[in-house]
Amino acid sequence: MEAKIAVIRGDGIGPEIVDAAIGCLDAVARRFGHTFHYSFPIMGGAAIDSTGVPLPQETIDECKRSDAVLLGAVGGPKWDNLAGHLRPEKGLLGLRSALGLYANVRPALLYEQLKGDSPLKPAIAKKGINLVVVRELTGGIYFGPRGFRSGKNGQEAFDTEVYTIPEIERIAKIAFDVAMGRRKKVTSVDKANVLETSRLWRATVTRVAESYPEVKLEHMLVDNCAMQLIKDPSQFDVLLCPNMFGDILSDEAAMLTGSIGLLPSSSLGAGKLGLYEPIHGSAPDIAGTDTANPIATILAAAMMLSSSLGLVTETAALEKAINTILSKGYRTPDICSMGTKKVSCSKMGELIALEVLNAK
Ligand code: NAD
């Protein structure tokens, strides 16, 4: 097939990890006979430096013309003191909104080879972690009415959580669809003992579940869920979360797997176009040293192949290549331990790309 991929390299380690991922995509294209056309629109700090704004209109247009968007990461200390609307991260929020991406899908997988890196007790890690957080991305408290005002004790600030039934329905459907391709269990997370929005969330998710009789639905309060993730993460398959709870729990789930450099995420909307990126930031502390772990970005590219381009076998081939390279003992510094072979970011990308080409 031919596909058009918009690649936003971003800031900090962004260009290094994205280049490693492109090497792997090129290997997939060669092995399976596809042609990927890349364009390189800019966003974040790089865009601020050259255009004065974090998300130029041309970037939005280019992404809309593409089949998928692959992103490194944006931001860094150079742009930290700019006004809120000019910050690099504003570019990412703006792009998700311009592309109508309302669902964030974040798998958290503990690799067999890396069980020792998990902060969990070995007896718990031994049971494995293989879950997906499906987080609502464009509603809830991050987008409701907010502000400062003066009250009887001086200045006050407020943020408001708002959810509509259609917003809850569409994210719930994504969670149930994801579960249908996995172990068929959805845990819906809320705070229904306190929040009205959570009560609407729970009632709506329960109704959506009626269309998915094969999927087991359970509801869990967010505080309990935070505990259960530490106690026994193997119980979870798909975690369906409102925006803020998903933001927090997906980072918790990520850390249980050992390294932030291993986890991808996708942002999806109603159509095939999706935005694929690692869950981590631009890691300015190691930028330019060729030591970043590119695996999260390569896994994001793997998600892109199946979710936006329909290339399921190719996704499996890329994921298998990563597994094989980890099994051969190759590690970037963030996951390196005694008895393993330390390699750079670019070398890790080359090894995985070669494995894609050489694997039968
Ligand atoms: P970060 O994720 O960039 O880094 C946190 C720590 O993890 C650092 O020690 C870093 O070296 C390490 N790390 C991150 N990715 C790694 C990788 N692939 N390999 C090895 N180590 C890795 O978070 P931060 O330091 O809080 O943020 C840095 C910048 O990134 C900020 O400007 C922040 O706003 C931005 N950010 C961007 C995104 C995004 O683009 N989606 C997400 C989060 C943070």
Side-chain angles (χ1 to χ4, degrees):
M1 78 176 299
E2 289 204 24
K4 199 167 165 338
I5 302 170
V7 179
I8 302 175
R9 284 196 167 100
D11 310 312
I13 59 171
E16 301 162 51
I17 52 180
V18 161
D19 286 351
I22 289 180
C24 294
L25 285 173
D26 285 342
V28 168
R30 261 182 69 191
R31 176 168 156 199
F32 292 93
H34 304 304
T35 306
F36 298 143
H37 302 284
Y38 306 108
S39 63
F40 295 93
I42 51 173
M43 189 176 81
I48 293 169
D49 285 351
S50 64
T51 69
V53 292
L55 180 61
Q57 184 60 40
E58 172 51 26
T59 295
I60 297 175
D61 296 341
E62 183 56 32
C63 292
K64 284 185 175 168
R65 285 193 290 268
S66 304
D67 297 301
V69 183
L70 180 66
L71 166 69
V74 292
K78 183 176 173 192
W79 305 280
D80 272 352
N81 295 321
L82 293 174
H85 68 289
L86 284 177
R87 295 277 304 259
E89 297 78 3
K90 205 72 190 164
L92 185 52
L93 293 180
L95 186 63
R96 283 178 179 153
S97 148
L99 301 181
L101 307 175
Y102 57 80
N104 189 232
V105 179
R106 272 197 191 190
L109 175 70
L110 178 56
Y111 283 90
E112 189 62 38
Q113 305 91 322
L114 299 175
K115 278 194 172 154
D117 291 345
S118 171
L120 293 173
K121 282 185 185 159
I124 299 174
K126 207 171 92 191
K127 293 164 82 179
I129 304 173
N130 185 354
L131 61 87
V132 176
V133 179
V134 175
R135 168 189 165 197
E136 201 288 324
L137 210 50
T138 54
I141 197 161
Y142 293 171
F143 291 88
R146 71 197 46 216
F148 289 93
R149 64 189 171 203
S150 59
K152 66 177 187 312
N153 293 316
Q155 195 184 40
E156 300 175 345
F158 63 97
D159 298 278
T160 317
E161 166 126 324
V162 181
Y163 266 119
T164 64
I165 290 174
E167 278 175 326
I168 303 169
E169 279 174 348
R170 65 185 187 178
I171 189 73
K173 280 182 191 147
I174 291 208
F176 283 99
D177 286 340
V178 170
M180 283 299 288
R182 293 175 47 91
R183 302 196 305 279
K184 298 192 173 67
K185 180 179 172 192
V186 169
T187 305
S188 176
V189 178
D190 61 38
K191 188 73 183 165
N193 52 343
V194 178
L195 301 175
E196 295 295 1
T197 41
S198 280
R199 289 194 260 275
L200 184 68
W201 180 276
R202 194 175 275 216
T204 307
V205 171
T206 303
R207 214 169 39 249
V208 171
E210 288 166 11
S211 305
Y212 296 86
E214 287 175 62
V215 179
K216 180 176 184 293
L217 169 66
E218 68 177 4
H219 299 281
M220 194 176 277
L221 296 176
V222 62
D223 37 355
N224 184 26
C225 185
M227 282 194 305
Q228 295 298 330
L229 270 171
I230 306 283
K231 202 172 153 211
D232 180 16
S234 72
Q235 70 184 283
F236 295 115
D237 181 19
V238 175
L239 279 174
L240 165 61
C241 305
N243 203 343
M244 183 166 70
F245 298 160
D247 191 7
I248 298 166
L249 293 179
S250 57
D251 270 22
E252 183 186 350
M255 266 330 291
L256 299 180
T257 67
S259 169
I260 197 168
L262 289 170
L263 299 176
S265 102
S266 62
S267 301
L268 309 173
K272 284 258 173 232
L273 178 62
L275 170 70
Y276 301 85
E277 58 181 318
I279 67 157
H280 57 73
S282 60
D285 52 333
I286 55 168
T289 62
D290 197 18
T291 55
N293 189 341
I295 291 180
T297 316
I298 297 171
L299 282 168
M303 284 178 92
M304 176 184 83
L305 291 172
S306 48
S307 290
S308 279
L309 308 183
L311 302 175
V312 177
T313 311
E314 289 78 347
T315 296
L318 190 44
E319 289 175 348
K320 186 164 171 239
I322 293 169
N323 234 307
T324 305
I325 292 304
L326 289 174
S327 292
K328 287 182 179 172
Y330 294 105
R331 304 278 190 275
T332 41
D334 56 316
I335 50 172
C336 197
S337 55
M338 286 269 286
T340 59
K341 299 170 223 171
K342 196 188 316 187
V343 294
S344 65
C345 174
S346 49
K347 185 72 188 170
M348 180 60 94
E350 283 165 25
L351 286 166
I352 295 168
L354 260 179
E355 184 59 37
V356 168
L357 286 172
N358 294 337
K360 288 284 165 294

